[in-house]
Amino acid sequence: MRYIRKKQPDLQRAAPAEECARCGRELYPGNPCWRFWGRTLCEDCVVPWLLRELATHRGRAGEVEP
Ligand SMILES: [Zn+2]
């Protein structure tokens, strides 16, 4: 594969500001992230994590609460 010189500065060369506590993805300055109780989560992790956290509130329509 030929190396093509990029005209734009490579974002990967910027130092990551933080990393996701769940998947370890590096978060660069300006990337969206969510913080819960001192943990930082990336946008791919926040929804599955929230659904798991809210599992105790989950029910099924039409079912009576126990
Ligand atoms: Zn993540």
Side-chain angles (χ1 to χ4, degrees):
M1 206 162 88
R2 239 180 103 192
Y3 177 76
I4 297 162
R5 200 179 174 86
K6 290 175 187 167
K7 284 174 188 154
Q8 296 293 320
D10 191 346
L11 273 177
Q12 295 298 315
R13 284 186 195 170
E18 299 181 56
E19 66 177 38
C20 174
R22 192 166 174 264
C23 73
R25 182 201 283 188
E26 292 174 334
L27 297 163
Y28 292 91
N31 286 166
C33 68
W34 286 259
R35 295 193 178 91
F36 300 95
W37 302 290
R39 300 171 76 199
T40 302
L41 299 175
C42 73
E43 60 184 332
D44 289 341
C45 292
V46 70
V47 169
W49 181 82
L50 264 179
L51 288 175
R52 206 182 59 222
E53 289 297 306
L54 297 174
T56 52
H57 301 280
R58 185 174 164 221
R60 292 195 186 271
E63 283 182 8
V64 181
E65 280 187 52

